[in-house]
Amino acid sequence: MDAHELITRNAAEVVTEEEIETLAADPDGKRAYVGYEPSGVLHIGHMLTANKLIDLQEAGFEVTVLLADVHAYLNDKGSFAEIRRTAERMRDQFIAYGLEESDTQFVLGSDFQLDEDYTLDLHALELETTLARAERAMAEITSGDSVKVSQAVYPLMQALDIPYLGVDLAVGGMEQRKVHMLARDVLPSIDREPPTSLHTPLIADLGTGRGKMSSSEGVTISMEDSRDDIESKVNKAYCPPTADPEPTEEGESRENPVLQVFEYHVFPRFETVVVERPEQYGGDLKYDAYDALEADLESGELHPADAKGALAEYLDRLIAPGREQLAE
């Protein structure tokens, strides 16, 4: 797989394709970053963007993980002392999950976001940005009906982090798209280059196939889960025998989250996936690529129950090192 394929594999969107092609032509020494609020335990959302960081490391990128303690504080996630302790635990979990430690720089937001130059640039962006523009970008972090001033500043800080970290590529889930577009709009006003960005897909709710899998709502999978927990959650997952389920009676679109987790979590990390089955049901199935597994589910060769059994097995393999680190 060449650099361009590694960079764009399983990406929902890149902005822009021309800029990505330039990075792919000479990726060695280029830097990519993802920012995470320190929130305790890695869950499947963190793991999706971490998989992309692993792809980028294989392509030759250096990776920066921003453990955004100031952002977490602005989002009312606890005291600085509590948040920083959580950030240290998350760092160890990312390494356990598979990020190459020698090519990964972990940075606390407070390492640079409280400096005078950063503060003055942030105020300059505030002067250039209407409240309505900031509100569009901050939709993913607000909760409840009352919007706080800190939440309006939050996306401007995310935009400013990009030049201050000196990165060439900003990575995030599709929920970060509005922030990256804000950054492309406002950073030129302070003579900073607009960022190239890459957005990963959103995994649907595991139990229903609707909306977005969330650690705060519904069912999610995290490094705290035991093997039994993972099996129980996957066995209850929504998995019709198709990659394109019918919408709900209310017209709400649905995805097959079991297939999504195979595509975005399992196949990027394992060269071969084996679905174990008793001989009377046809014996084991072996897949070297996601498309073949999807095709077998569609044709009926692969039963959803057997797909779920294999998914639980491979998720447990991915999560086990982090679970052991947490136990220590």
Side-chain angles (χ1 to χ4, degrees), residues 8-51:
T8 58
R9 174 168 66 165
N10 290 337
E13 177 188 52
V14 295
V15 182
T16 64
E17 175 59 35
E18 182 180 357
E19 293 168 16
I20 289 291
E21 289 175 358
T22 299
L23 290 176
D26 184 22
D28 289 341
K30 298 294 192 300
R31 300 181 69 193
Y33 108 107
V34 178
Y36 303 95
E37 277 191 14
S39 57
V41 178
L42 297 197
H43 56 69
I44 205 162
H46 300 117
M47 296 170 198
L48 199 155
T49 45
N51 284 338

mmCIF file of all heavy atoms in Angstrom, residues 8-51:
data_model
loop_
_atom_site.group_PDB
_atom_site.id
_atom_site.type_symbol
_atom_site.label_atom_id
_atom_site.label_comp_id
_atom_site.label_asym_id
_atom_site.label_seq_id
_atom_site.Cartn_x
_atom_site.Cartn_y
_atom_site.Cartn_z
ATOM 1 N N THR A 8 -5.334 7.873 3.047
ATOM 2 C CA THR A 8 -6.761 8.048 2.758
ATOM 3 C C THR A 8 -7.601 6.820 3.070
ATOM 4 O O THR A 8 -8.832 6.899 3.007
ATOM 5 C CB THR A 8 -6.969 8.426 1.283
ATOM 6 O OG1 THR A 8 -6.394 7.403 0.452
ATOM 7 C CG2 THR A 8 -6.301 9.760 0.960
ATOM 8 N N ARG A 9 -6.972 5.695 3.445
ATOM 9 C CA ARG A 9 -7.740 4.480 3.730
ATOM 10 C C ARG A 9 -8.792 4.746 4.805
ATOM 11 O O ARG A 9 -8.503 5.263 5.864
ATOM 12 C CB ARG A 9 -6.804 3.361 4.197
ATOM 13 C CG ARG A 9 -7.554 2.121 4.645
ATOM 14 C CD ARG A 9 -6.657 0.918 4.834
ATOM 15 N NE ARG A 9 -5.692 1.039 5.912
ATOM 16 C CZ ARG A 9 -5.030 -0.013 6.415
ATOM 17 N NH1 ARG A 9 -5.238 -1.224 5.919
ATOM 18 N NH2 ARG A 9 -4.162 0.152 7.382
ATOM 19 N N ASN A 10 -10.027 4.384 4.495
ATOM 20 C CA ASN A 10 -11.157 4.504 5.429
ATOM 21 C C ASN A 10 -11.434 5.945 5.860
ATOM 22 O O ASN A 10 -12.077 6.167 6.886
ATOM 23 C CB ASN A 10 -10.931 3.636 6.670
ATOM 24 C CG ASN A 10 -11.037 2.159 6.357
ATOM 25 O OD1 ASN A 10 -11.658 1.767 5.383
ATOM 26 N ND2 ASN A 10 -10.402 1.337 7.174
ATOM 27 N N ALA A 11 -10.975 6.912 5.092
ATOM 28 C CA ALA A 11 -11.316 8.306 5.385
ATOM 29 C C ALA A 11 -12.679 8.630 4.774
ATOM 30 O O ALA A 11 -12.972 8.245 3.642
ATOM 31 C CB ALA A 11 -10.258 9.254 4.832
ATOM 32 N N ALA A 12 -13.508 9.337 5.536
ATOM 33 C CA ALA A 12 -14.786 9.786 4.997
ATOM 34 C C ALA A 12 -14.610 10.990 4.087
ATOM 35 O O ALA A 12 -15.390 11.192 3.148
ATOM 36 C CB ALA A 12 -15.746 10.129 6.142
ATOM 37 N N GLU A 13 -13.561 11.781 4.346
ATOM 38 C CA GLU A 13 -13.354 13.012 3.592
ATOM 39 C C GLU A 13 -11.929 13.500 3.827
ATOM 40 O O GLU A 13 -11.373 13.343 4.915
ATOM 41 C CB GLU A 13 -14.340 14.090 4.069
ATOM 42 C CG GLU A 13 -14.181 15.440 3.397
ATOM 43 C CD GLU A 13 -15.039 16.523 4.034
ATOM 44 O OE1 GLU A 13 -14.957 16.677 5.271
ATOM 45 O OE2 GLU A 13 -15.774 17.197 3.315
ATOM 46 N N VAL A 14 -11.334 14.099 2.794
ATOM 47 C CA VAL A 14 -10.089 14.857 2.957
ATOM 48 C C VAL A 14 -10.308 16.246 2.378
ATOM 49 O O VAL A 14 -11.060 16.422 1.419
ATOM 50 C CB VAL A 14 -8.891 14.179 2.261
ATOM 51 C CG1 VAL A 14 -8.567 12.843 2.908
ATOM 52 C CG2 VAL A 14 -9.134 14.009 0.763
ATOM 53 N N VAL A 15 -9.659 17.223 2.991
ATOM 54 C CA VAL A 15 -9.800 18.619 2.556
ATOM 55 C C VAL A 15 -8.393 19.241 2.512
ATOM 56 O O VAL A 15 -7.805 19.504 3.535
ATOM 57 C CB VAL A 15 -10.683 19.423 3.533
ATOM 58 C CG1 VAL A 15 -10.859 20.857 3.037
ATOM 59 C CG2 VAL A 15 -12.044 18.761 3.745
ATOM 60 N N THR A 16 -7.855 19.379 1.327
ATOM 61 C CA THR A 16 -8.399 19.033 0.026
ATOM 62 C C THR A 16 -7.630 17.855 -0.550
ATOM 63 O O THR A 16 -6.526 17.552 -0.087
ATOM 64 C CB THR A 16 -8.298 20.208 -0.962
ATOM 65 O OG1 THR A 16 -6.890 20.480 -1.189
ATOM 66 C CG2 THR A 16 -8.975 21.449 -0.402
ATOM 67 N N GLU A 17 -8.164 17.238 -1.584
ATOM 68 C CA GLU A 17 -7.475 16.107 -2.211
ATOM 69 C C GLU A 17 -6.123 16.539 -2.775
ATOM 70 O O GLU A 17 -5.125 15.806 -2.654
ATOM 71 C CB GLU A 17 -8.344 15.521 -3.324
ATOM 72 C CG GLU A 17 -7.683 14.410 -4.129
ATOM 73 C CD GLU A 17 -7.254 13.218 -3.291
ATOM 74 O OE1 GLU A 17 -7.952 12.863 -2.310
ATOM 75 O OE2 GLU A 17 -6.193 12.633 -3.609
ATOM 76 N N GLU A 18 -6.055 17.729 -3.365
ATOM 77 C CA GLU A 18 -4.791 18.217 -3.918
ATOM 78 C C GLU A 18 -3.734 18.357 -2.824
ATOM 79 O O GLU A 18 -2.559 17.997 -3.010
ATOM 80 C CB GLU A 18 -5.014 19.565 -4.613
ATOM 81 C CG GLU A 18 -3.762 20.133 -5.261
ATOM 82 C CD GLU A 18 -4.020 21.466 -5.953
ATOM 83 O OE1 GLU A 18 -5.186 21.919 -5.966
ATOM 84 O OE2 GLU A 18 -3.052 22.049 -6.468
ATOM 85 N N GLU A 19 -4.148 18.852 -1.656
ATOM 86 C CA GLU A 19 -3.202 19.020 -0.554
ATOM 87 C C GLU A 19 -2.747 17.669 -0.017
ATOM 88 O O GLU A 19 -1.584 17.479 0.347
ATOM 89 C CB GLU A 19 -3.848 19.854 0.556
ATOM 90 C CG GLU A 19 -4.116 21.296 0.141
ATOM 91 C CD GLU A 19 -5.008 22.036 1.141
ATOM 92 O OE1 GLU A 19 -5.179 21.564 2.279
ATOM 93 O OE2 GLU A 19 -5.543 23.105 0.769
ATOM 94 N N ILE A 20 -3.654 16.704 0.039
ATOM 95 C CA ILE A 20 -3.292 15.355 0.481
ATOM 96 C C ILE A 20 -2.299 14.725 -0.484
ATOM 97 O O ILE A 20 -1.324 14.067 -0.068
ATOM 98 C CB ILE A 20 -4.551 14.475 0.608
ATOM 99 C CG1 ILE A 20 -5.399 14.912 1.806
ATOM 100 C CG2 ILE A 20 -4.175 13.004 0.723
ATOM 101 C CD1 ILE A 20 -4.799 14.631 3.167
ATOM 102 N N GLU A 21 -2.494 14.921 -1.781
ATOM 103 C CA GLU A 21 -1.572 14.364 -2.768
ATOM 104 C C GLU A 21 -0.176 14.945 -2.594
ATOM 105 O O GLU A 21 0.831 14.235 -2.735
ATOM 106 C CB GLU A 21 -2.093 14.624 -4.180
ATOM 107 C CG GLU A 21 -3.320 13.781 -4.538
ATOM 108 C CD GLU A 21 -3.904 14.134 -5.894
ATOM 109 O OE1 GLU A 21 -3.380 15.069 -6.540
ATOM 110 O OE2 GLU A 21 -4.883 13.477 -6.295
ATOM 111 N N THR A 22 -0.092 16.226 -2.243
ATOM 112 C CA THR A 22 1.212 16.850 -2.004
ATOM 113 C C THR A 22 1.889 16.230 -0.791
ATOM 114 O O THR A 22 3.097 15.939 -0.807
ATOM 115 C CB THR A 22 1.044 18.359 -1.797
ATOM 116 O OG1 THR A 22 0.462 18.943 -2.977
ATOM 117 C CG2 THR A 22 2.380 19.029 -1.531
ATOM 118 N N LEU A 23 1.131 16.011 0.287
ATOM 119 C CA LEU A 23 1.690 15.367 1.473
ATOM 120 C C LEU A 23 2.128 13.938 1.169
ATOM 121 O O LEU A 23 3.183 13.489 1.621
ATOM 122 C CB LEU A 23 0.665 15.365 2.608
ATOM 123 C CG LEU A 23 0.325 16.712 3.263
ATOM 124 C CD1 LEU A 23 -0.790 16.520 4.290
ATOM 125 C CD2 LEU A 23 1.560 17.313 3.932
ATOM 126 N N ALA A 24 1.317 13.213 0.407
ATOM 127 C CA ALA A 24 1.627 11.819 0.099
ATOM 128 C C ALA A 24 2.869 11.687 -0.773
ATOM 129 O O ALA A 24 3.575 10.670 -0.711
ATOM 130 C CB ALA A 24 0.432 11.158 -0.590
ATOM 131 N N ALA A 25 3.168 12.698 -1.559
ATOM 132 C CA ALA A 25 4.343 12.653 -2.418
ATOM 133 C C ALA A 25 5.640 12.674 -1.617
ATOM 134 O O ALA A 25 6.671 12.159 -2.075
ATOM 135 C CB ALA A 25 4.312 13.817 -3.409
ATOM 136 N N ASP A 26 5.601 13.266 -0.417
ATOM 137 C CA ASP A 26 6.794 13.325 0.421
ATOM 138 C C ASP A 26 6.381 13.322 1.895
ATOM 139 O O ASP A 26 6.465 14.335 2.587
ATOM 140 C CB ASP A 26 7.600 14.596 0.098
ATOM 141 C CG ASP A 26 8.906 14.675 0.865
ATOM 142 O OD1 ASP A 26 9.412 13.621 1.317
ATOM 143 O OD2 ASP A 26 9.426 15.803 1.039
ATOM 144 N N PRO A 27 5.930 12.156 2.401
ATOM 145 C CA PRO A 27 5.366 12.126 3.746
ATOM 146 C C PRO A 27 6.388 12.080 4.882
ATOM 147 O O PRO A 27 6.051 12.385 6.026
ATOM 148 C CB PRO A 27 4.531 10.840 3.740
ATOM 149 C CG PRO A 27 5.234 9.956 2.766
ATOM 150 C CD PRO A 27 5.795 10.874 1.714
ATOM 151 N N ASP A 28 7.616 11.669 4.586
ATOM 152 C CA ASP A 28 8.595 11.494 5.660
ATOM 153 C C ASP A 28 8.831 12.794 6.417
ATOM 154 O O ASP A 28 9.145 13.837 5.811
ATOM 155 C CB ASP A 28 9.927 10.992 5.094
ATOM 156 C CG ASP A 28 9.846 9.553 4.632
ATOM 157 O OD1 ASP A 28 8.908 8.856 5.068
ATOM 158 O OD2 ASP A 28 10.700 9.126 3.827
ATOM 159 N N GLY A 29 8.667 12.718 7.733
ATOM 160 C CA GLY A 29 8.885 13.893 8.569
ATOM 161 C C GLY A 29 7.705 14.827 8.666
ATOM 162 O O GLY A 29 7.727 15.779 9.451
ATOM 163 N N LYS A 30 6.655 14.578 7.877
ATOM 164 C CA LYS A 30 5.448 15.384 8.019
ATOM 165 C C LYS A 30 4.764 15.025 9.336
ATOM 166 O O LYS A 30 4.945 13.951 9.874
ATOM 167 C CB LYS A 30 4.500 15.158 6.837
ATOM 168 C CG LYS A 30 5.068 15.567 5.491
ATOM 169 C CD LYS A 30 5.291 17.063 5.421
ATOM 170 C CE LYS A 30 5.589 17.543 3.998
ATOM 171 N NZ LYS A 30 6.784 16.950 3.395
ATOM 172 N N ARG A 31 3.958 15.965 9.844
ATOM 173 C CA ARG A 31 3.360 15.771 11.163
ATOM 174 C C ARG A 31 1.839 15.833 11.075
ATOM 175 O O ARG A 31 1.276 16.704 10.416
ATOM 176 C CB ARG A 31 3.871 16.829 12.145
ATOM 177 C CG ARG A 31 5.373 16.790 12.339
ATOM 178 C CD ARG A 31 5.831 17.840 13.329
ATOM 179 N NE ARG A 31 5.395 17.517 14.684
ATOM 180 C CZ ARG A 31 5.441 18.364 15.697
ATOM 181 N NH1 ARG A 31 5.889 19.589 15.526
ATOM 182 N NH2 ARG A 31 5.043 17.985 16.890
ATOM 183 N N ALA A 32 1.195 14.886 11.744
ATOM 184 C CA ALA A 32 -0.265 14.854 11.837
ATOM 185 C C ALA A 32 -0.647 14.888 13.305
ATOM 186 O O ALA A 32 0.133 14.495 14.176
ATOM 187 C CB ALA A 32 -0.812 13.595 11.177
ATOM 188 N N TYR A 33 -1.862 15.375 13.572
ATOM 189 C CA TYR A 33 -2.287 15.413 14.974
ATOM 190 C C TYR A 33 -3.766 15.114 15.099
ATOM 191 O O TYR A 33 -4.552 15.324 14.174
ATOM 192 C CB TYR A 33 -1.958 16.770 15.608
ATOM 193 C CG TYR A 33 -3.145 17.669 15.871
ATOM 194 C CD1 TYR A 33 -3.610 17.879 17.165
ATOM 195 C CD2 TYR A 33 -3.816 18.318 14.823
ATOM 196 C CE1 TYR A 33 -4.694 18.706 17.413
ATOM 197 C CE2 TYR A 33 -4.900 19.138 15.065
ATOM 198 C CZ TYR A 33 -5.342 19.327 16.360
ATOM 199 O OH TYR A 33 -6.430 20.128 16.609
ATOM 200 N N VAL A 34 -4.107 14.599 16.284
ATOM 201 C CA VAL A 34 -5.489 14.516 16.742
ATOM 202 C C VAL A 34 -5.517 15.057 18.158
ATOM 203 O O VAL A 34 -4.593 14.820 18.943
ATOM 204 C CB VAL A 34 -6.029 13.068 16.735
ATOM 205 C CG1 VAL A 34 -7.465 13.030 17.263
ATOM 206 C CG2 VAL A 34 -5.998 12.478 15.338
ATOM 207 N N GLY A 35 -6.568 15.800 18.484
ATOM 208 C CA GLY A 35 -6.749 16.287 19.847
ATOM 209 C C GLY A 35 -7.854 15.517 20.548
ATOM 210 O O GLY A 35 -8.888 15.212 19.946
ATOM 211 N N TYR A 36 -7.613 15.161 21.801
ATOM 212 C CA TYR A 36 -8.601 14.443 22.605
ATOM 213 C C TYR A 36 -8.738 15.132 23.961
ATOM 214 O O TYR A 36 -7.734 15.454 24.603
ATOM 215 C CB TYR A 36 -8.172 12.993 22.874
ATOM 216 C CG TYR A 36 -7.888 12.149 21.659
ATOM 217 C CD1 TYR A 36 -6.594 12.017 21.174
ATOM 218 C CD2 TYR A 36 -8.904 11.456 21.012
ATOM 219 C CE1 TYR A 36 -6.314 11.216 20.075
ATOM 220 C CE2 TYR A 36 -8.641 10.657 19.902
ATOM 221 C CZ TYR A 36 -7.339 10.537 19.440
ATOM 222 O OH TYR A 36 -7.070 9.752 18.357
ATOM 223 N N GLU A 37 -9.972 15.323 24.399
ATOM 224 C CA GLU A 37 -10.187 15.698 25.789
ATOM 225 C C GLU A 37 -9.832 14.502 26.676
ATOM 226 O O GLU A 37 -10.320 13.400 26.424
ATOM 227 C CB GLU A 37 -11.655 16.060 26.051
ATOM 228 C CG GLU A 37 -12.036 17.457 25.704
ATOM 229 C CD GLU A 37 -13.429 17.804 26.239
ATOM 230 O OE1 GLU A 37 -13.955 17.052 27.082
ATOM 231 O OE2 GLU A 37 -13.983 18.831 25.811
ATOM 232 N N PRO A 38 -9.012 14.695 27.692
ATOM 233 C CA PRO A 38 -8.760 13.581 28.616
ATOM 234 C C PRO A 38 -10.052 13.186 29.328
ATOM 235 O O PRO A 38 -10.604 13.958 30.105
ATOM 236 C CB PRO A 38 -7.734 14.167 29.598
ATOM 237 C CG PRO A 38 -7.095 15.294 28.856
ATOM 238 C CD PRO A 38 -8.180 15.867 28.010
ATOM 239 N N SER A 39 -10.531 11.990 29.017
ATOM 240 C CA SER A 39 -11.854 11.603 29.508
ATOM 241 C C SER A 39 -11.851 10.264 30.227
ATOM 242 O O SER A 39 -12.906 9.684 30.439
ATOM 243 C CB SER A 39 -12.844 11.553 28.335
ATOM 244 O OG SER A 39 -12.379 10.663 27.341
ATOM 245 N N GLY A 40 -10.682 9.767 30.582
ATOM 246 C CA GLY A 40 -10.646 8.562 31.397
ATOM 247 C C GLY A 40 -10.162 7.346 30.663
ATOM 248 O O GLY A 40 -8.995 6.987 30.754
ATOM 249 N N VAL A 41 -11.024 6.711 29.907
ATOM 250 C CA VAL A 41 -10.713 5.434 29.291
ATOM 251 C C VAL A 41 -10.970 5.521 27.790
ATOM 252 O O VAL A 41 -11.992 6.054 27.357
ATOM 253 C CB VAL A 41 -11.575 4.313 29.912
ATOM 254 C CG1 VAL A 41 -11.290 2.980 29.240
ATOM 255 C CG2 VAL A 41 -11.324 4.214 31.414
ATOM 256 N N LEU A 42 -10.043 5.001 26.998
ATOM 257 C CA LEU A 42 -10.250 4.993 25.555
ATOM 258 C C LEU A 42 -11.477 4.164 25.206
ATOM 259 O O LEU A 42 -11.690 3.078 25.747
ATOM 260 C CB LEU A 42 -9.044 4.382 24.837
ATOM 261 C CG LEU A 42 -7.692 5.071 24.936
ATOM 262 C CD1 LEU A 42 -6.777 4.537 23.842
ATOM 263 C CD2 LEU A 42 -7.798 6.579 24.837
ATOM 264 N N HIS A 43 -12.269 4.699 24.296
ATOM 265 C CA HIS A 43 -13.417 3.961 23.785
ATOM 266 C C HIS A 43 -13.301 3.868 22.273
ATOM 267 O O HIS A 43 -12.320 4.327 21.670
ATOM 268 C CB HIS A 43 -14.738 4.608 24.223
ATOM 269 C CG HIS A 43 -14.881 6.048 23.841
ATOM 270 N ND1 HIS A 43 -15.031 6.466 22.530
ATOM 271 C CD2 HIS A 43 -14.879 7.179 24.599
ATOM 272 C CE1 HIS A 43 -15.133 7.781 22.487
ATOM 273 N NE2 HIS A 43 -15.040 8.246 23.718
ATOM 274 N N ILE A 44 -14.293 3.290 21.655
ATOM 275 C CA ILE A 44 -14.188 2.937 20.247
ATOM 276 C C ILE A 44 -14.043 4.169 19.345
ATOM 277 O O ILE A 44 -13.466 4.093 18.258
ATOM 278 C CB ILE A 44 -15.403 2.075 19.849
ATOM 279 C CG1 ILE A 44 -15.070 1.194 18.640
ATOM 280 C CG2 ILE A 44 -16.654 2.920 19.648
ATOM 281 C CD1 ILE A 44 -16.014 0.044 18.447
ATOM 282 N N GLY A 45 -14.531 5.336 19.812
ATOM 283 C CA GLY A 45 -14.334 6.563 19.043
ATOM 284 C C GLY A 45 -12.879 6.982 19.012
ATOM 285 O O GLY A 45 -12.341 7.344 17.957
ATOM 286 N N HIS A 46 -12.202 6.955 20.181
ATOM 287 C CA HIS A 46 -10.765 7.234 20.206
ATOM 288 C C HIS A 46 -9.998 6.255 19.321
ATOM 289 O O HIS A 46 -9.058 6.625 18.607
ATOM 290 C CB HIS A 46 -10.207 7.096 21.631
ATOM 291 C CG HIS A 46 -10.812 8.021 22.642
ATOM 292 N ND1 HIS A 46 -11.524 7.558 23.718
ATOM 293 C CD2 HIS A 46 -10.802 9.373 22.761
ATOM 294 C CE1 HIS A 46 -11.921 8.564 24.461
ATOM 295 N NE2 HIS A 46 -11.505 9.680 23.889
ATOM 296 N N MET A 47 -10.416 4.990 19.386
ATOM 297 C CA MET A 47 -9.673 3.952 18.680
ATOM 298 C C MET A 47 -9.748 4.126 17.172
ATOM 299 O O MET A 47 -8.815 3.782 16.444
ATOM 300 C CB MET A 47 -10.204 2.571 19.078
ATOM 301 C CG MET A 47 -9.999 2.234 20.546
ATOM 302 S SD MET A 47 -10.900 0.723 21.003
ATOM 303 C CE MET A 47 -10.932 0.886 22.792
ATOM 304 N N LEU A 48 -10.865 4.673 16.662
ATOM 305 C CA LEU A 48 -11.004 4.850 15.224
ATOM 306 C C LEU A 48 -9.975 5.848 14.704
ATOM 307 O O LEU A 48 -9.266 5.580 13.724
ATOM 308 C CB LEU A 48 -12.429 5.298 14.882
ATOM 309 C CG LEU A 48 -12.863 5.092 13.425
ATOM 310 C CD1 LEU A 48 -14.372 4.982 13.337
ATOM 311 C CD2 LEU A 48 -12.380 6.194 12.514
ATOM 312 N N THR A 49 -9.853 7.008 15.363
ATOM 313 C CA THR A 49 -8.858 7.977 14.909
ATOM 314 C C THR A 49 -7.447 7.489 15.221
ATOM 315 O O THR A 49 -6.508 7.786 14.479
ATOM 316 C CB THR A 49 -9.108 9.360 15.534
ATOM 317 O OG1 THR A 49 -9.379 9.213 16.934
ATOM 318 C CG2 THR A 49 -10.271 10.060 14.867
ATOM 319 N N ALA A 50 -7.276 6.705 16.301
ATOM 320 C CA ALA A 50 -5.957 6.131 16.587
ATOM 321 C C ALA A 50 -5.527 5.180 15.475
ATOM 322 O O ALA A 50 -4.343 5.131 15.106
ATOM 323 C CB ALA A 50 -5.971 5.419 17.932
ATOM 324 N N ASN A 51 -6.473 4.413 14.907
ATOM 325 C CA ASN A 51 -6.142 3.554 13.766
ATOM 326 C C ASN A 51 -5.607 4.376 12.607
ATOM 327 O O ASN A 51 -4.669 3.966 11.915
ATOM 328 C CB ASN A 51 -7.379 2.773 13.314
ATOM 329 C CG ASN A 51 -7.717 1.615 14.237
ATOM 330 O OD1 ASN A 51 -6.869 1.121 14.970
ATOM 331 N ND2 ASN A 51 -8.967 1.189 14.200
#
